[in-house]
Structure formats: structure tokens, C-alpha cells
Amino acid sequence: MKVIQAKSAGFCYGVERAVTLAEQTAREKGNCVMLGSIIHNANVVAQLEELGARQVSGVKDIRPEDTVLIRAHGERKDVFSYLHQIGAECVDATCPNVLRLQQLVARADEEGSTPIIIGEPHHPEVMGVASWSVRSLVFDGPEVLQKWLQEDPKRRDLPIVAVAQTTCIRANWETSAEILKKECTNVKLFDTICNATHKRQSEAAELARQVDVMVVVGDRKSANTKHLTEICRKSCSAVYQIESAAELKPEFFEGCAVAGLTAGASTPAGIIKEVYTTMSEEIKNMEAMEESFEEMLEKSFKTLNTGEKVTGIVTAIGPTEVQVDLGCKQAGYIAIDELSADPNAKPEDIVKVGDEIETYIIRVNDVEGYAMLSKKRLDAVKVWEDIENARENKVTLEGKVTEENKGGIVVNVKGVRVFVPASQSGQPRGAELSEMIGKTVSLRVTEVNRARRRVVGSIRAVSYEARAAAQAEIWNNIEEGKRYTGTVKSMTSYGVFVDIGGVDGMVHISELSWSRIKNPAEVVSVGDTLDVYVISFDAEKRKISLGVKDRSCNPWDKFMETYQVGDVANVRIVKLMTFGAFAEVVPGVDGLIHISQIADRRIEKPGDVLSEGQMVDAKITAIDEEKQKISLSIRALLAPAAAEEVEEVAEDAE
């Protein structure tokens, strides 16, 4: 038995682009809005919501200050008009193929033609495309189109532009196109079915003809996933559409020799990998079903007392067995290999003479008066009971990551292998899971199949709850001026985002340093630890403004303690303007050298004499303490006679 996966399963270019744009926007903006699902996949939408992208159902829920993510399916023309009207910023993740459809329909409207769209009338993509012309008509198949043409013969003479939904079944489009070419006198046909969609559908159809069972993975709202399922059912009698591996059932694969797997364009690679792994395991289990631990115990029962739990006292520890006093006429013995599941464990490290020990009776010999016991088997049963209780009561367990498996990692929890899918590992999409090997992690058990000895867990569930609790703690206690120690998570040209314990705050570039800097990278890097304080916050919008500069060390105070009018300072030119140059007198305090005070002659521009970074001597000619402004002059040092003009000219420049 084997599983064959279609080559073109999963994300297409348009979906990958939309998800990437959404992730970048959520990280950089910290708070943005998804107008509907960015793609038809609940798992992806949930991950984006964790990054701070909240989902709304309609434009009335959008505020002017919001950053709006336009989904891959595109939007109606009136939606764009409304967003522009209220001044909301848009990040357009519309698939390029859908965008071309909108443009074709808009051009047809301008030319006075009637756009005909072959697709699902209530699909978001089709509704959006149709809105770009008041004359748009939508038909879900050739039969409805034929009936429309027959109802009124005059319709055959209309100028028509025909297009197809990007995920339309090719047979529906081609039959509809033939009808239009045969019946209409003035028609333009545009085959707008996505090439990736056509390739995926063709591969799925071919694979379905070769297998006994076909599994299609994708969100139930996804049109292209639904079409894949319809196509596969034409060639295979056993087709199952699922959203995740959790929906797979053993009975799907009864009598199956070869199973096929494909996925819609909105299905992440991690989910496909997880489904593939689970299918492979289920098929192997159908080939050779291992007897469960309980069945093996039942087969070993030979007397009425066999299988009972008994408690005794360790009386002796030998090289091959441990002797136990059971308080009755039979002596109890535990073979060394029945003492622990760890083959390297030493008996003296597990039990000591005089210890009370609980065991299973695995065999009783009444004639010779002894009972063979097992501590290992009882421990195994207890562990499984603990695992099942942990799932029912949502108890957090700890374990060590032992290996990377197909589709995820394996965590050893009390000797039980717990499979954690990649999507539940708590790591970013595409991260190297092998780096987690050897680490101790906390997880929640989400699925237990004791008969198959299969346990599935989630690290992400624990980390998500911990992060949510940390976020709640911060928002409940945040106040202006409060200090935090945070980590730089990302950088932009205008500042950095700092994680202060589950919540990101923004440090504007002007708050990073008293000195003038052009880019945050001059003073910090991603991963740096920063001591920050809260300047302001908006709990409703989930925005925090942070500062780094120490207000107790104001550079202006240092300047006033060091200099006064008439002093000469060695300054650094930091910026050239048309009217003069700004120079740093002390770190964090700049003064202006007016163009008339740069040289003892007339110059066209400051750059004729000065350059950024240059060190020069300048005389302090004026200090405005209230506005914290300083006037400087190089000319005053070159031509003392001109000194009387300095203050007046500098004040004019202000």
C-alpha cells in the first residue's frame, strides 16, 4: 500500500503572494484589518489573527485610521470607492489573475459591451469582478447560458465580452465558449482560467484514475477545492474532502492498495504534509494491525488472578529479578526486563529493599507457589491514563523533542511518543524543526488513540495561551511612564517594534537616540534587548508608543552647563540645507549655521564649503532657551568685523 501526492497540490502564486503580504503588513503595522478571509483557509486566517490582523465582515466595521487587507479574491468596485472616501489605507493582495479579470470587465463596460462571466454567482471573486460593469451577467454553466440566449433572439446580436472565473472547471468554460461562438455575432472570448488551476485539476483527474481512494484537502468554502473534489469523483468512487488530518478515518482506507492526495490552492504545505503522514500511518495500520497493549495482556491471562494489581514489599534485588513479598503464600518475582521500559536502567536505581511497590500479575503458578509480576506494564497503563486525563482536562505536559518526523516533530512524554504537527509546533511557517531536537517543551494533548498507540499534541496551544495571558497582564497594568525590558522584533525606516512580553510597541526613530540618526540600524539590531518606557498607548487600537531616551540626561542641560554666547565650539556638520547647515554641538543638540555665516564671501549653497560629517570650529552667537535653538557662525571667526551682523542674520533665518 502507498500514498501518491499530486505535484501541484497546495498554494498557488496568487495565494502565496496574498499570505506573504498579509503577514508582512500584520508584523509591520501591528494592527490591521482583513476585509473577509484573506484566502479561504481558516488555519491561515487564525495565524494572521495571532499576528494582530483582525477580521471584519463588512466595510462599516472599518475605521478611517485602519490599514485594510484586500483578500486574494479581490473586492467590489464600491468597496474600493468607500475605502478611498473614508481615507483608509489599503494593502491590495488581489491575485494578479483576478485583477486581469476585473480590468477586462471594466474595459468592456467602457466600450459598451456586455460582460458575461462563467462561474459561481455568489463566489467573492465573481461578485467582485461583476461589480466593475453595470451590465455584467453571471452564468454558472453552459445550460443556463443557452437558456438565456434562447429566451430573446436579440441577445445574440449584443456585443459580448466573455470571461471565466479563475477556478472555473475547464469543461464548463469550453462548452460555454462554443455556444457563444456558434450563437452570437459579436463576441470576444478571454480564457481567464488560471494556468495553475488548470494544471492542478488535470493532475487530480489523472491521479484519481490510478488510485482506490482519493483525498482532497482544503477549506470547505474554497471553490477550487470543491471543483477538485467534483473532478476526482468522475474517476474515483471513494473521494473524501477534508480540511485537516484530524478528519481522516481508518475506514476511508479499508481494502485500499493505493491512495491519492491533492489539495486546493489555499491549503498550506504544512497541512498537506501532516495529512500525507497520517494517511501513510493509517494505511500501514490497515496492512498489519498491531495488537493493542490491552489485547496482549488479555492473551497472557492464564488464571483468575492474572492481571490483578497487587502491592508488595521489595525483599531482595538479584541480577536477573526482584523478589516481592505479596503478603500471601505465593512469592512474587519481577524479571529485570519487566521492571522498567528503559533497557539501560539499573534495578538498584529503581527500587530498594523495603520499598513498597505496585505491580501487575502477569502469570501465576499455584503448583510451585509463585507469581510473575511486571512493574513496567503497570507504569505503561498509568502513563496512558495520565495522557488521556491530560487531554480531557486540558492539562499541560512537558517532554523532550526526540526527532523530526514527516510533517512535524516527536516529543517523548513519560515514555510515550507524542506527534506534534508542524502547524502546532509554535514555530514560524518554513522554520527548521530539527533545531528543536533535544529541547524540553510544554504541550497540550489534542488526540489519543490508545488502541493504535497514537498521541497528537500541540505546543502552539500552550504558547498561545501563555502569550494571551501575558498580553492581558500588560494591557491590564500598562500606564504612561512605566518601564519594561523588551526585545527588538523588527525594524522599519521610521523606527523599531519591541516585544515587551507578548505585546509589541513602537519606538519612533526620534526616540531611539538624542543624536540625529538616519536609520534605526545605526543604534539597534533585531534581537537586541532594550530598556523602554511607555510614552502613550491606545488600548482600543492595541497600539503602544515607547521611548528609549533617558529624560534625566537631557543633552540640552549638558549644553547649557558647558557653553554660553560667545564661546567657540568644535562642531560636526550633520545636515546641509539650502539656507544653511545644521551642526551637532554636543550629542543630541544641534545649532544652525546660516548660509551667510559659513564663509567670509558670498556662496551659492552650503555644500560649496561644507560636507556632512566635517568637523569645524564655530562661534555661538545666540541661544534661545525657550525654543532650545542655537545660532552658530564660522564667519565670525574668519572676519571679526562681521560679528555685529551675526545675531540679526541668524534671527532672520529662524
Side-chain angles (χ1 to χ4, degrees):
M1 295 185 183
K2 61 179 180 179
V3 179
I4 303 175
Q5 180 178 321
K7 294 180 180 178
S8 300
F11 277 5
C12 63
Y13 166 74
V15 169
E16 183 75 45
R17 172 180 173 273
V19 173
T20 300
L21 268 175
E23 288 177 344
Q24 289 175 347
T25 303
R27 287 194 179 98
E28 292 178 3
K29 299 292 184 179
N31 185 27
C32 57
V33 173
M34 292 183 286
L35 185 52
S37 300
I38 191 74
I39 63 171
H40 276 158
N41 188 279
N43 187 274
V44 172
V45 171
Q47 290 178 354
L48 290 172
E49 287 178 335
E50 288 182 21
L51 292 175
R54 62 186 177 89
Q55 186 175 353
V56 298
S57 57
V59 292
K60 297 303 180 183
D61 297 323
I62 295 173
R63 299 166 298 198
E65 65 271 18
D66 285 336
T67 298
V68 183
L69 285 164
I70 303 298
R71 55 190 169 184
H73 291 122
E75 269 300 346
R76 301 189 313 275
K77 184 178 180 180
D78 62 294
V79 170
F80 282 103
S81 299
Y82 177 79
L83 294 177
H84 177 73
Q85 179 183 346
I86 67 172
E89 179 184 354
C90 289
V91 175
D92 195 348
T94 304
C95 170
N97 292 320
V98 176
L99 190 59
R100 177 172 176 257
L101 258 176
Q102 295 174 350
Q103 293 168 346
L104 286 171
V105 169
R107 192 185 310 151
D109 188 69
E110 293 172 0
E111 295 171 352
S113 299
T114 298
I116 286 181
I117 306 165
I118 306 301
E120 300 178 40
H122 300 295
H123 191 278
E125 174 191 317
V126 176
M127 294 170 66
V129 169
S131 72
W132 292 85
S133 172
V134 294
R135 288 181 286 273
S136 292
L137 299 172
V138 180
F139 301 101
D140 59 8
E143 297 81 7
V144 184
L145 173 63
Q146 183 76 68
K147 181 179 178 181
W148 179 76
L149 289 170
Q150 291 174 348
E151 287 175 349
D152 186 352
K154 293 181 181 179
R155 292 171 177 169
R156 294 180 170 88
D157 298 322
L158 290 173
I160 292 173
V161 172
V163 296
Q165 183 179 347
T166 58
T167 56
C168 181
I169 296 177
R170 180 155 290 281
N172 283 354
W173 162 251
E174 291 179 347
T175 304
S176 300
E178 286 299 319
I179 291 172
L180 289 169
K181 284 193 288 186
K182 182 179 178 181
E183 301 283 348
C184 300
T185 59
N186 184 9
V187 62
K188 294 179 182 178
L189 301 171
F190 294 93
D191 184 349
T192 51
I193 297 177
C194 173
N195 289 333
T197 297
H198 176 55
K199 185 177 180 181
R200 183 181 289 104
Q201 291 176 352
S202 300
E203 285 184 6
E206 179 61 29
L207 183 56
R209 287 190 284 269
Q210 303 172 21
V211 301
D212 303 309
V213 174
M214 193 72 191
V215 175
V216 183
V217 189
D219 197 285
R220 288 185 173 83
K221 296 178 183 178
S222 168
N224 71 81
T225 303
K226 183 181 72 174
H227 293 159
L228 279 177
T229 304
E230 294 170 355
I231 290 168
C232 291
R233 282 179 176 153
K234 293 179 181 178
S235 304
C236 181
S237 58
V239 179
Y240 302 98
Q241 182 179 334
I242 64 173
E243 291 189 346
S244 67
E247 296 181 30
L248 289 171
K249 298 179 181 179
E251 53 264 33
F252 288 178
F253 308 103
E254 291 181 358
C256 168
V258 183
L261 172 64
T262 188
S266 299
T267 309
I271 292 179
I272 300 172
K273 193 174 182 181
E274 184 181 342
V275 171
Y276 178 90
T277 301
T278 306
M279 286 176 64
S280 300
E281 290 178 357
E282 292 292 354
I283 289 177
K284 286 178 183 177
N285 288 334
M286 295 301 296
E287 280 185 307
M289 181 72 72
E290 293 183 359
E291 293 179 315
S292 68
F293 176 67
E294 290 80 5
E295 289 171 340
M296 288 189 289
L297 272 180
E298 190 173 330
K299 286 183 179 180
S300 70
F301 294 167
K302 293 184 179 179
T303 72
L304 292 175
N305 294 323
T306 300
E308 291 179 352
K309 292 180 184 179
V310 291
T311 301
I313 304 295
V314 177
T315 57
I317 300 174
T320 60
E321 61 188 18
V322 173
Q323 185 173 334
V324 181
D325 181 4
L326 299 176
C328 58
K329 63 180 181 178
Q330 291 100 339
Y333 296 92
I334 306 173
I336 296 301
D337 59 357
E338 289 294 333
L339 192 60
S340 171
D342 184 358
N344 299 317
K346 296 178 180 180
E348 57 269 23
D349 294 335
I350 300 173
V351 294
K352 292 179 174 58
V353 174
D355 284 355
E356 186 176 82
I357 185 171
E358 188 177 21
T359 64
Y360 254 121
I361 298 176
I362 57 176
R363 188 171 70 255
V364 175
N365 189 324
D366 287 324
V367 176
E368 298 186 15
Y370 69 84
M372 296 306 299
L373 312 174
S374 174
K375 180 179 182 296
K376 177 178 71 175
R377 301 190 189 189
L378 182 59
D379 289 345
V381 172
K382 287 183 175 180
V383 168
W384 279 98
E385 290 174 351
D386 291 343
I387 294 290
E388 288 178 333
N389 288 335
R391 180 188 63 81
E392 293 174 1
N393 299 315
K394 296 183 178 180
V395 175
T396 300
L397 300 176
E398 280 192 354
K400 181 174 288 187
V401 180
T402 57
E403 62 181 280
E404 180 185 12
N405 204 343
K406 287 185 177 179
I409 55 176
V410 174
V411 181
N412 185 311
V413 178
K414 299 180 179 179
V416 175
R417 286 166 55 89
V418 180
F419 175 69
V420 178
S423 61
Q424 298 300 316
S425 67
Q427 299 299 304
R429 186 161 58 97
E432 287 294 332
L433 298 182
S434 59
E435 295 180 1
M436 297 183 69
I437 295 175
K439 294 183 178 179
T440 299
V441 297
S442 298
L443 56 79
R444 285 278 176 81
V445 176
T446 57
E447 178 187 337
V448 178
N449 189 325
R450 197 166 173 181
R452 296 180 181 276
R453 302 181 69 79
R454 172 181 168 82
V455 183
V456 180
S458 171
I459 298 171
R460 176 181 163 194
V462 177
S463 58
Y464 178 78
E465 289 182 6
R467 186 174 179 85
Q471 289 175 345
E473 175 69 17
I474 286 178
W475 286 113
N476 288 337
N477 298 288
I478 194 170
E479 57 185 29
E480 292 184 5
K482 190 168 185 176
R483 292 188 169 275
Y484 295 92
T485 298
T487 304
V488 178
K489 299 297 291 293
S490 62
M491 303 173 64
T492 67
S493 60
Y494 51 86
V496 299
F497 288 94
V498 178
D499 183 347
I500 58 174
V503 176
D504 289 350
M506 173 69 177
V507 182
H508 192 268
I509 189 171
S510 63
E511 291 296 328
L512 280 171
S513 172
W514 285 108
S515 298
R516 185 191 297 269
I517 58 174
K518 294 182 178 180
N519 191 294
E522 294 177 28
V523 291
V524 294
S525 302
V526 172
D528 283 356
T529 298
L530 286 182
D531 290 326
V532 297
Y533 63 94
V534 178
I535 296 176
S536 63
F537 64 93
D538 187 328
E540 183 179 347
K541 296 179 182 179
R542 288 295 195 262
K543 290 184 177 181
I544 304 174
S545 177
L546 301 172
V548 174
K549 295 190 301 190
D550 187 351
R551 298 295 176 183
S552 65
C553 300
N554 192 325
W556 180 261
D557 295 336
K558 182 179 179 181
F559 166 79
M560 292 299 295
E561 292 172 3
T562 308
Y563 295 101
Q564 58 186 0
V565 174
D567 287 351
V568 175
N570 188 245
V571 300
R572 180 172 63 90
I573 306 301
V574 292
K575 192 168 186 179
L576 298 177
M577 308 295 289
T578 55
F579 54 86
F582 286 98
E584 185 183 70
V585 183
V586 297
V589 177
D590 295 345
L592 174 65
I593 309 174
H594 190 267
I595 189 171
S596 64
Q597 300 304 312
I598 291 176
D600 56 358
R601 65 186 186 281
R602 181 180 181 81
I603 59 174
E604 295 295 327
K605 57 184 184 299
D608 292 342
V609 176
L610 301 174
S611 59
E612 291 186 3
Q614 181 181 354
M615 300 297 297
V616 297
D617 287 336
K619 185 176 182 180
I620 300 173
T621 58
I623 299 174
D624 186 334
E625 290 190 48
E626 183 178 349
K627 297 180 180 179
Q628 294 191 353
K629 291 184 178 181
I630 305 166
S631 297
L632 302 172
S633 173
I634 299 173
R635 178 183 171 188
L637 301 177
L638 300 175
E644 297 176 357
E645 303 172 16
V646 172
E647 184 173 347
E648 181 179 290
V649 173
E651 288 176 351
D652 292 340
E654 295 287 330

